[in-house]
Amino acid sequence: MLKSFNRYNLAIVLFTALGSYTYGFNSSIIASVTGLPSFFDYLGLTSEGLRAAWSAEMIGAMNSLYSAGGLIGALSVGWLADRLGRKRSIQLICGFCVIASIFTTASVSIAMFLVGRTLQVIDTICPLYQSEVSPAHARGRMVGMHAFFLVLGYAGSSWIGLGCYFATNPNVQWRLCLAFQILAPLCLLCGSKWLPESPRFLIYNGKMERGLAVLKKLHSSSGDPSSSFAEAEFTQIQRQVELDRHSELSWIGLWKNPGTRKRLLCGFFVIAAAQSSGVLVINNYQIILYTGLGITGWRALLLLSIYTSWAALMNWVNAMLLDRVGRIKLMVIGMTGAALAVSCETAIVAKFAGTNNAVGNGFGIFFLFLFITFFASGMDACNVYLAEIFPTWMRAQGVAFSVSGLFTTTLIYTGAASAAFAEVGWKYYLVFIFVPLACVLIIWFYLPETNGPSLEEIGLLFGDEVAAHSEELSSKLNAQQNATISGVEVLGLDSEPETNGKTKVEKQ
């Protein structure tokens, strides 16, 4: 069995993660740009006076409309991925992101800016694609690059926001900050012609030779010169696809079948639970939070930059732990620790917000960093989990529906945040304590662990019939190849003899 992954496979996963970076950068850029005085001045926003309430509503709308656009994009990407393929969908969404980013950068009014935020469709297909090109034993590390690059996008937007703060030209200050949104999706779009199509998509659509060729290239290894691992995976995918064709259901049918219904509920729940920790509220309103603790100007932007960079490092740790610890344990530890950190942060804000108490404000910053340490190193496993639990025939629809949970909860939490902070202040953080702790119980007792099995074998956890096990196929293929070398014919893979004396894998 293949014990590692080759450089080509890793390069494909990392390059595709530019779409994840785009999501993180575009989502978090609003936290940076609202820390730039010129942005407030140009659009007529203020934190004081008669227009303060209106300004808070507009900032809330910037987050809410972005989430609304993401929700529309998430619900449509499932259809795109199944109709056009994974590769073409990535290209289309990247093109859309480039156009929308140009629109926001060139905004001349608050209305134009809000429209641009709405048009920024999120590239949610990246973890789906990454899961379909990754070997089972390294899938956690490889799909974990989605969360790592996503938070690198957060960090990138924070450092760019800090750099732009010192620009002397007011227009350059905020427009340059927003213009950097264009780079990552443009690079992915230009380089995407060298990306292979997902082998599972190819096999599902009857393009067997292309699918096998992609698998051999993805999993080639000096320790496996005969490509037995790729051939075993090809046979497993092919058989499972043929078996699953008899199980395909309509959208309504997905909810009637216990196995597919459980998958949909698990996928939607796990990512909604992650957002219920308050991670995006804390990130996107962090500048306002620091202001409440008496930290303003470039110092607030510097803290935001360090915070998001630390989060990216913790996401890398999460990716390295996924295949060793497992998905469920990491999520439970991460969510529990994050909730406890928020409870401490809430107490600090309630006691010291608006004061000059250096010790109290210092602890406020400490608990924010403790929160993201737990969340990023644990709960970000949800991105890998939702990409694994669906079979090929419904993976695009399932991931799309699951990711809609992210935008639905984000729309609720970030949309209400401005008004909630203005009306009830620190009490709003109580939501991010009690809801996550309730979610921990559901994750631990209800969600099955997916670490280890291939994507096809995960179906067993949801009561599906599995055509073949990868290790069994791999051992049979090795036996077949060894026997062929010895001049002995083996028919252990439901094969049939050909006239030339070689074996042939039956196409069901």
Side-chain angles (χ1 to χ4, degrees):
M1 180 177 178
L2 191 67
K3 296 295 183 182
S4 61
F5 46 84
N6 65 34
R7 293 179 180 177
Y8 175 74
N9 200 168
L10 180 61
I12 290 299
V13 168
L14 293 177
F15 185 69
T16 308
L18 283 175
S20 309
Y21 181 91
T22 300
Y23 166 32
F25 191 98
N26 291 0
S27 176
S28 185
I29 194 65
I30 197 66
S32 298
V33 80
T34 52
L36 301 176
S38 60
F39 180 74
F40 268 62
D41 293 340
Y42 188 89
L43 296 180
L45 302 171
T46 181
S47 57
E48 300 175 347
L50 297 177
R51 292 173 63 87
W54 174 82
S55 298
E57 291 176 358
M58 291 300 101
I59 294 173
M62 292 173 191
N63 287 297
S64 298
L65 290 175
Y66 180 78
S67 298
L71 178 60
I72 295 170
L75 293 175
S76 61
V77 77
W79 180 87
L80 285 174
D82 283 338
R83 297 300 185 280
L84 304 181
R86 288 29 170 169
K87 178 178 176 177
R88 291 285 180 262
S89 297
I90 290 173
Q91 293 172 330
L92 182 63
I93 294 171
C94 283
F96 211 86
C97 284
V98 169
I99 294 170
S101 297
I102 293 172
F103 203 80
T104 55
T105 303
S107 293
V108 295
S109 66
I110 188 72
M112 185 175 177
F113 186 84
L114 292 175
V115 170
R117 287 287 286 176
T118 308
L119 293 176
Q120 286 179 317
V121 180
I122 309 300
D123 190 356
T124 56
I125 197 174
C126 290
L128 182 156
Y129 177 86
Q130 290 165 333
S131 72
E132 293 189 338
V133 299
S134 302
H137 61 274
R139 194 171 59 242
R141 280 171 286 171
M142 295 189 117
V143 184
M145 291 299 103
H146 165 71
F148 175 56
F149 271 73
L150 186 153
V151 183
L152 275 182
Y154 288 169
S157 69
S158 301
W159 287 108
I160 287 170
L162 176 61
C164 290
Y165 182 87
F166 296 100
T168 55
N169 186 312
N171 267 327
V172 170
Q173 187 183 62
W174 68 273
R175 291 190 191 276
L176 179 62
C177 186
L178 291 170
F180 277 95
Q181 295 176 104
I182 301 169
L183 291 182
L186 184 61
C187 289
L188 181 53
L189 178 62
C190 293
S192 62
K193 65 178 181 178
W194 288 288
L195 287 176
E197 180 55 88
S198 161
R200 285 174 167 83
F201 176 82
L202 292 171
I203 295 168
Y204 180 77
N205 286 277
K207 300 175 182 178
M208 303 299 176
E209 292 183 2
R210 284 182 59 192
L212 178 57
V214 172
L215 284 172
K216 285 184 176 181
K217 191 171 183 179
L218 287 172
H219 305 323
S220 64
S221 169
S222 58
D224 182 26
S226 59
S227 299
S228 61
F229 180 85
E231 290 184 9
E233 187 175 20
F234 168 77
T235 303
Q236 183 185 37
I237 296 170
Q238 183 189 31
R239 290 183 176 184
Q240 193 64 44
V241 163
E242 293 301 325
L243 183 63
D244 287 345
R245 287 194 189 279
H246 303 291
S247 307
E248 293 184 15
L249 300 167
S250 65
W251 179 248
I252 296 176
L254 294 178
W255 291 98
K256 292 181 179 180
N257 180 278
T260 53
R261 181 173 63 244
K262 182 177 181 179
R263 282 181 164 104
L264 291 169
L265 291 175
C266 286
F268 187 95
F269 170 78
V270 73
I271 201 161
Q275 298 311 305
S276 296
S277 68
V279 61
L280 280 182
V281 172
I282 290 172
N283 183 76
N284 289 5
Y285 288 87
Q286 201 167 144
I287 297 296
I288 295 172
L289 180 61
Y290 288 143
T291 301
L293 293 174
I295 304 167
T296 58
W298 67 268
R299 292 178 178 83
L301 288 169
L302 176 61
L303 277 175
L304 177 62
S305 302
I306 296 172
Y307 174 92
T308 51
S309 298
W310 177 252
L313 176 61
M314 289 299 100
N315 270 271
W316 180 83
V317 171
N318 175 264
M320 296 302 104
L321 291 175
L322 277 168
D323 292 318
R324 299 182 180 184
V325 179
R327 285 54 159 160
I328 300 301
K329 286 182 181 178
L330 275 180
M331 286 193 284
V332 167
I333 294 170
M335 186 69 100
T336 303
L340 293 176
V342 172
S343 66
C344 295
E345 177 69 20
T346 302
I348 293 295
V349 172
K351 180 71 175 178
F352 298 107
T355 72
N356 294 321
N357 189 301
V359 175
N361 291 340
F363 272 106
I365 296 171
F366 168 77
F367 286 120
L368 282 178
F369 277 77
L370 183 63
F371 162 81
I372 202 59
T373 298
F374 275 108
F375 180 89
S377 63
M379 195 56 204
D380 265 342
C382 67
N383 294 291
V384 177
Y385 191 83
L386 67 88
E388 296 177 319
I389 60 177
F390 300 102
T392 300
W393 64 270
M394 67 169 291
R395 185 168 295 118
Q397 297 178 66
V399 170
F401 175 76
S402 300
V403 174
S404 71
L406 183 156
F407 295 109
T408 301
T409 48
T410 300
L411 191 60
I412 295 170
Y413 292 134
T414 60
S418 290
F421 284 135
E423 294 295 327
V424 299
W426 61 268
K427 296 182 182 68
Y428 187 49
Y429 286 112
L430 296 176
V431 175
F432 308 127
I433 300 172
F434 295 112
V435 175
L437 290 177
C439 292
V440 164
L441 298 176
I442 298 174
I443 292 172
W444 182 254
F445 290 107
Y446 185 74
L447 271 60
E449 177 60 69
T450 57
N451 185 32
S454 68
L455 291 179
E456 286 67 38
E457 291 167 344
I458 287 174
L460 288 171
L461 302 174
F462 296 91
D464 294 352
E465 182 181 355
V466 175
H469 292 277
S470 57
E471 291 186 2
E472 176 187 350
L473 285 170
S474 184
S475 63
K476 285 185 177 180
L477 274 170
N478 285 328
Q480 186 182 57
Q481 290 162 354
N482 292 335
T484 301
I485 293 172
S486 303
V488 179
E489 184 179 31
V490 178
L491 302 178
L493 286 171
D494 296 333
S495 58
E496 58 186 29
E498 293 184 325
T499 55
N500 60 7
K502 296 181 180 180
T503 60
K504 175 183 175 183
V505 176
E506 180 182 352
K507 294 185 179 180
Q508 300 178 9

